[in-house]
Amino acid sequence: GSGGEESLGVAPVGGGGGEAVERATGAPPMRRAVDERQIRCSPLALLFGFLGGTCGLGLSCLGAASGIAQSGKAMAQLGLGNFYRGDKSMVLRGMLPVIMAELLSIYGLITGVTITIQISQLKDQGYPLAAGFLHFGSGLIVGGSCLLAGHTIGVIGDVCNRAMAESAAVFSPMILLLIFAEALALYGLICSLLMNGTAQDIAAAHACAPLSRHAP
């Protein structure tokens, strides 16, 4: 009978499906859909998205500053020693680690600008939480890789510039070491751009218009 069906939480034949869902979940179907939408389209998405851009640019600049400071100090000592020897061209060679360290901040700038542009483009259709997480991870991966690469470039520039004061033959191996260190940041930039593209696809597939348009 209908009493047995009601005791099992099954809607009687002929209607009452919404009441059965309400008894099983503890919330009306429409209210439950709105709650899921509030989670998926949480305002925290903007927080994570802009944090990703901030971390990407900030950590990249921190890595670049570290590399410039370490290798620049050794470059100054190299130039001072070779000035009295009459060899001024050695200073130009010593600037190579400084230049490659400066490139790291550009990688963070690319990621930060990309994230900001994508967020501004999604302001009409909404910005889902999943896209915010992806942008946050994108900033972290490029910022972390540039931070480590900057420290590596600084150490290489410091040691090799000091060694070039004694022998110019160190210059060629230094170039190879700097390329390997710069590649670490490039790997992070490539992954960051791929994650940004995925975030844009997810935002397009799961549009989050304002809740007022869909609320009952």
Side-chain angles (χ1 to χ4, degrees), residues 38-145:
Q38 288 176 344
I39 295 174
R40 180 168 58 87
C41 305
S42 172
L44 290 176
L46 290 175
L47 173 64
F48 283 103
F50 284 116
L51 274 178
T54 302
C55 291
L57 181 57
L59 293 177
S60 298
C61 290
L62 185 60
S66 175
I68 292 173
Q70 294 183 56
S71 57
K73 180 176 63 175
M75 182 202 69
Q77 295 178 354
L78 174 65
L80 183 61
N82 285 273
F83 177 78
Y84 295 106
R85 299 176 184 176
D87 186 6
K88 301 180 182 179
S89 63
M90 193 66 69
V91 181
L92 298 177
R93 298 181 181 181
M95 286 186 62
L96 183 60
V98 178
I99 296 173
M100 297 194 71
E102 176 62 27
L103 292 176
L104 301 177
S105 60
I106 299 179
Y107 301 156
L109 178 63
I110 292 173
T111 300
V113 170
T114 303
I115 292 175
T116 304
I117 291 177
Q118 288 185 357
I119 293 177
S120 64
Q121 290 176 346
L122 297 173
K123 63 182 180 181
D124 295 330
Q125 67 186 48
Y127 187 59
L129 189 59
F133 286 155
L134 280 170
H135 282 153
F136 181 59
S138 170
L140 283 182
I141 193 171
V142 72
S145 60

Side-chain angles (χ1 to χ4, degrees), residues 128 130-131 134 197-207:
L134 280 170
T198 305
Q200 193 170 19
D201 294 338
I202 289 178
H206 303 281

